[in-house]
Amino acid sequence: MTRRSFLEVALAGGAAASGAYISLARDMSAFAQASGPIVIGHHCELTGGFASWGYWHNKAALAATKVINESGGIAGRKLELATEDTESNPAAGARKLRALIQRNRASFITGSVHSGVMLASIPVATEMKTVYFSTGEATEATGERGTRYSFRTGTDTYGLAAAGAPWAYANLGKTWTIISPDYAWGHSHYKEHKAVIEKLGGKVYDPIYVPLDAKDLVPYLARIPQDTEVLFSVFFGALSIAFYTQAKSMGLEKTMRMYSVSGTIEAIAPADLKGAAEGVYIVENFPRMLKYKDDEFHKAYNKLIGTDDVHARETGSDKVNAKSHSWQSWENLFALKQAIEASGWKQKSDDKGAIEALEGLKMANSLGFAQGAKTLRKEDHSGMIDCYISRIENDEFHVKKKVSKEEMASMLPPRYDFSKQPL
């Protein structure tokens, strides 16, 4: 219908005008969706317990949006980033996700790093038929709680156990105790690491779960069996600081090896712990020090995000980049750009093609994928990436072993095949 013919019908009055108006409005809305900005939602922890990480996820997503738009956008269309604060709270996060999709009209979501928020949000995203990129690590997001709409470019607890536990078992010790917060992320780590260590012939004691609001960890640290050879800790933020400082004051590192994953010291500088983290082994998803992945893309990424090449401190402040996780909020936007352009996606009715393009997506090491080359596995939508086992020495992260994405993939076969689910 042309504007002139619409006006002629409208001037005639009656039900025909009303019907014509509704039809034209629908057509105009569809045209706008297919030709205007592409809205991608950012489901981010700006406040609450994960705010120190959320700050960097937000910074990475904003920087990626700027780079994409300055280089022509997505399929010639502007990328518009809409951000909602999850408040580091699952109930609030689920509400905010609905707001991103319904009010902000987000067609895709780069999602929460808080595992509780992430797991509360996947059912909402699935109900609303919207692709949701998790940035948290609980395996369930691309495991038993995953769906055709749930993706993750980074590692999960299943992958981190496969990447690091065999090496730690062989080099650090065979009798393990796992201490973590009483929270989805910690429970998932216990489940996955216990399975690997026991399969290798080791012993894993019952887990020690610490309340999220605990400040005095000594009563929990006192429960660690004396013959523990490897103490695997899974804390974050203030709880990490409490764990490292209080474990050091008890001299635990003198009788057992301290082993962990990058999340326990994200956005924290070892120097600020005054030696409490010295000697701890950490599985990193992206080396904190440039020299262990010294290429032009890593250098450019650090510069664009505004962090130094050794300690990952923010230029002009004391903040420390949550570097092993925040890269996902950058790369997820480039992954969506690649899938949208490859599939010819224009609007929500084209989602099937975009999802099929994401399943098995290969991402070459580049500025858009500065962490490294990776594959988004077709079956379980999990990112197969390089990982690094590092040791903190003189307040720096020194890589002791690189675990290639091929090595990791060989040790964690897909448990689910979401690609067979109907859309």
Side-chain angles (χ1 to χ4, degrees):
M1 175 178 283
T2 66
R3 181 175 182 272
R4 180 176 178 180
S5 63
F6 167 73
L7 289 173
E8 288 172 350
V9 173
L11 288 170
S18 176
Y21 178 81
I22 291 170
S23 176
L24 181 63
R26 186 184 303 116
D27 291 345
M28 289 174 67
S29 176
F31 176 78
Q33 188 186 57
S35 60
I38 295 175
V39 181
I40 296 180
H42 190 198
H43 201 216
C44 185
E45 283 66 47
L46 298 178
T47 60
F50 272 73
S52 62
W53 294 26
Y55 173 87
W56 289 99
H57 279 270
N58 188 48
K59 190 168 187 178
L62 288 170
T65 300
K66 185 173 186 290
V67 169
I68 288 171
N69 283 332
E70 288 179 349
S71 60
I74 299 177
R77 294 164 64 182
K78 180 183 178 182
L79 165 58
E80 184 177 304
L81 189 72
T83 304
E84 285 281 355
D85 178 14
T86 73
E87 304 172 31
S88 303
N89 179 287
R95 290 197 307 273
K96 299 296 183 70
L97 178 58
R98 288 189 183 276
L100 278 172
I101 298 169
Q102 293 176 327
R103 185 175 67 234
N104 298 103
R105 305 288 184 183
S107 296
F108 306 92
I109 305 291
T110 179
S112 173
V113 72
H114 183 296
S115 288
V117 173
M118 173 183 76
L119 294 177
S121 298
I122 289 170
V124 176
T126 302
E127 172 200 333
M128 303 185 81
K129 298 184 181 302
T130 300
V131 169
Y132 186 92
F133 266 87
S134 302
T135 55
E137 288 182 344
T139 298
E140 292 82 356
T142 46
E144 61 200 57
R145 305 266 295 272
T147 73
R148 191 80 186 269
Y149 293 91
S150 176
F151 292 85
R152 174 165 39 204
T153 46
T155 54
D156 59 8
T157 54
Y158 181 35
L160 288 168
W167 182 91
Y169 174 84
N171 292 276
L172 305 182
K174 297 174 172 51
T175 302
W176 288 46
T177 296
I178 298 174
I179 183 167
S180 80
D182 193 2
Y183 157 74
W185 183 47
H187 294 189
S188 190
H189 268 297
Y190 172 74
K191 174 184 173 184
E192 299 296 347
H193 282 78
K194 175 181 168 68
V196 173
I197 297 304
E198 290 186 342
K199 184 177 180 179
L200 291 170
K203 178 179 181 179
V204 180
Y205 282 110
D206 289 340
I208 300 172
Y209 290 134
V210 179
L212 285 170
D213 60 354
K215 292 181 176 57
D216 181 7
L217 272 61
V218 172
Y220 303 96
L221 296 172
R223 290 164 46 190
I224 298 169
Q226 293 296 309
D227 63 340
T228 296
E229 294 176 314
V230 179
L231 179 59
F232 178 46
S233 63
V234 190
F235 291 101
F236 59 89
L239 271 176
S240 278
I241 295 171
F243 168 77
Y244 285 121
T245 55
Q246 293 176 37
K248 182 74 172 181
S249 71
M250 294 174 66
L252 294 182
E253 81 284 357
K254 297 176 182 176
T255 60
M256 59 193 73
R257 299 292 185 92
M258 310 292 276
Y259 174 75
S260 194
V261 291
S262 59
T264 66
I265 200 162
E266 282 287 61
I268 299 171
D272 295 342
L273 298 178
K274 302 187 184 306
E278 191 71 7
V280 176
Y281 290 87
I282 302 282
V283 182
E284 296 189 88
N285 301 327
F286 195 175
R288 190 171 292 196
M289 294 182 70
L290 171 69
K291 74 177 187 177
Y292 292 110
K293 184 184 179 292
D294 193 355
D295 60 43
E296 60 180 305
F297 308 123
H298 191 172
K299 290 176 185 176
Y301 175 81
N302 282 352
K303 185 175 181 179
L304 289 163
I305 297 299
T307 58
D308 77 78
D309 295 336
V310 177
H311 303 291
R313 285 198 191 270
E314 184 177 40
T315 305
S317 85
D318 288 333
K319 289 187 173 72
V320 178
N321 192 351
K323 191 175 180 182
S324 270
H325 292 81
S326 60
W327 61 267
Q328 293 177 77
S329 294
W330 168 286
E331 291 201 10
N332 289 347
L333 297 182
F334 283 93
L336 285 166
K337 170 180 164 67
Q338 186 172 324
I340 288 168
E341 292 177 344
S343 66
W345 184 96
K346 294 186 182 301
Q347 56 193 358
K348 286 293 290 178
S349 58
D350 301 324
D351 277 5
K352 183 175 185 290
I355 289 171
E356 289 173 344
L358 287 169
E359 291 173 334
L361 186 72
K362 294 186 184 303
M363 295 154 272
N365 191 197
S366 60
L367 180 58
F369 303 103
Q371 186 274 341
K374 57 184 59 61
T375 300
L376 200 53
R377 195 155 60 180
K378 178 180 179 179
E379 295 87 353
D380 57 3
H381 299 181
S382 293
M384 296 295 108
I385 70 170
D386 296 333
C387 289
Y388 303 82
I389 301 173
S390 300
R391 186 172 187 262
I392 297 175
E393 299 170 353
N394 299 316
D395 296 329
E396 297 174 347
F397 287 73
H398 290 278
V399 173
K400 301 301 176 182
K401 176 177 172 57
K402 176 182 176 180
V403 182
S404 72
K405 58 186 180 299
E406 292 81 11
E407 287 180 82
M408 191 171 76
S410 71
M411 294 185 284
L412 62 156
R415 294 167 171 171
Y416 299 88
D417 189 348
F418 304 128
S419 69
K420 295 180 178 178
Q421 291 181 356
L423 291 168

